[in-house]
Amino acid sequence: MADRWVTFDCYGTLIDWDGGIRGALTRVFGDDALLARYHELERDLQRERPAAPYREVMTEAMIRLGASEEDAPALADSLPSWEAFSEVRDALADVRGRGWRLAILSNSDPPQIEASKAKLGVPFEETIVAGDIGSYKPALRHWDEFWSRTGAVRGRWVHVGASLFHDIAPARELSLQSVWINRLGEQARAGIRPSRELPSLAGLADTLDELVPS
């Protein structure tokens, strides 16, 4: 029988993305009031410059927020120190222990994701990042590249992400089962419905086994 695959978004799903950004914004601007605006700018820049390294996107977004040339790289510099959510390591180990193969599909650069994977402490069979493929989610190239590398059977592949925009919507477009990690207590939008919804990765292994029994 074909392998069971689970692909993960990283930042916001496994690694505390907002916490890392809030810390850098506070150091540069004195508070984190610009968090929502940062997210808007990052999304715009990724759409405008799909081949740009994530470090460049982060730095340009900081400049557009008003950071000086000297302070603007502070956000990108901080990324390797961002921590995993508390339940993530044990949850990933449980998933692996049940025979799932793990992959990351991330809007980041290779050095950034390697630092974050070290924080996670659990091996991944595949890692696909924007810096290697010249494309940012929600464009579909991450998923296409993953399928090209692995030949994963779509009925035995589940995507897990915290962003409706970046992850759940494209998974639905591709007719993939998905698990929305709704850490912020958001409301799902019409037409963007995950297969399952969880508030964290706790219990993820049971949910995955329900979606794709061994």
Side-chain angles (χ1 to χ4, degrees), residues 2 28 72 75 188:
V28 173
L75 177 59

Side-chain angles (χ1 to χ4, degrees), residues 130-148:
D132 281 339
I133 63 173
S135 178
Y136 284 102
K137 298 182 294 182
L140 301 181
R141 189 167 174 192
H142 281 78
W143 287 269
D144 291 343
E145 178 68 18
F146 170 78
W147 184 81
S148 176

Side-chain angles (χ1 to χ4, degrees), residues 11 15-17 19-25 27 55 58 62 72-83 112 115-116 119:
Y11 301 103
I15 297 289
D16 188 356
W17 187 38
I21 297 171
R22 287 182 189 278
L25 292 176
R27 286 190 293 276
R55 180 181 181 86
M58 298 172 88
M62 290 290 283
L75 177 59
D77 290 344
S78 74
L79 189 151
S81 70
W82 296 358
E83 297 293 340
Q112 295 169 331
S116 294
K119 294 278 188 180

Side-chain angles (χ1 to χ4, degrees), residues 17-39 41 58 61-63 65-67 71-72 74-76 78 82:
W17 187 38
D18 274 354
I21 297 171
R22 287 182 189 278
L25 292 176
T26 299
R27 286 190 293 276
V28 173
F29 298 109
D31 59 41
D32 62 3
L34 294 171
L35 178 65
R37 179 58 180 150
Y38 172 82
H39 284 312
L41 288 169
M58 298 172 88
M62 290 290 283
I63 290 172
L65 287 178
D71 289 337
L75 177 59
S78 74
W82 296 358

Side-chain angles (χ1 to χ4, degrees), residues 13-197:
T13 304
L14 307 177
I15 297 289
D16 188 356
W17 187 38
D18 274 354
I21 297 171
R22 287 182 189 278
L25 292 176
T26 299
R27 286 190 293 276
V28 173
F29 298 109
D31 59 41
D32 62 3
L34 294 171
L35 178 65
R37 179 58 180 150
Y38 172 82
H39 284 312
E40 292 172 358
L41 288 169
E42 181 181 284
R43 187 178 299 184
D44 290 345
L45 285 161
Q46 288 174 342
R47 184 172 56 252
E48 293 167 9
R49 308 178 189 178
Y54 187 46
R55 180 181 181 86
E56 180 180 308
V57 168
M58 298 172 88
T59 301
E60 176 61 24
M62 290 290 283
I63 290 172
R64 294 189 184 187
L65 287 178
S68 67
E69 294 283 347
E70 180 180 359
D71 289 337
L75 177 59
D77 290 344
S78 74
L79 189 151
S81 70
W82 296 358
E83 297 293 340
F85 292 103
S86 60
E87 85 286 356
V88 165
R89 183 177 293 210
D90 288 346
L92 292 177
D94 190 9
V95 171
R96 281 193 66 85
R98 300 191 193 196
W100 287 83
R101 306 192 79 189
L102 277 59
I104 287 180
L105 313 183
S106 176
N107 281 351
S108 59
D109 298 329
Q112 295 169 331
I113 203 66
E114 291 307 315
S116 294
K117 285 164 62 178
K119 294 278 188 180
L120 298 171
V122 175
F124 290 80
E125 277 74 26
E126 284 290 345
T127 302
I128 297 168
V129 293
D132 281 339
I133 63 173
S135 178
Y136 284 102
K137 298 182 294 182
L140 301 181
R141 189 167 174 192
H142 281 78
W143 287 269
D144 291 343
E145 178 68 18
F146 170 78
W147 184 81
S148 176
R149 292 185 191 183
T150 66
V153 175
R154 296 196 181 213
R156 295 180 64 78
W157 166 13
V158 181
H159 186 64
V160 178
S163 171
L164 291 170
F165 174 78
H166 294 98
D167 290 281
I168 303 306
R172 183 177 178 84
E173 182 177 347
L174 292 166
S175 298
L176 291 174
Q177 297 193 91
S178 64
V179 180
W180 181 28
I181 307 302
N182 186 9
R183 296 186 182 277
L184 302 178
E186 299 173 279
Q187 293 294 316
R189 297 193 295 275
I192 309 178
R193 294 284 179 179
S195 306
R196 297 290 186 275
E197 178 181 337

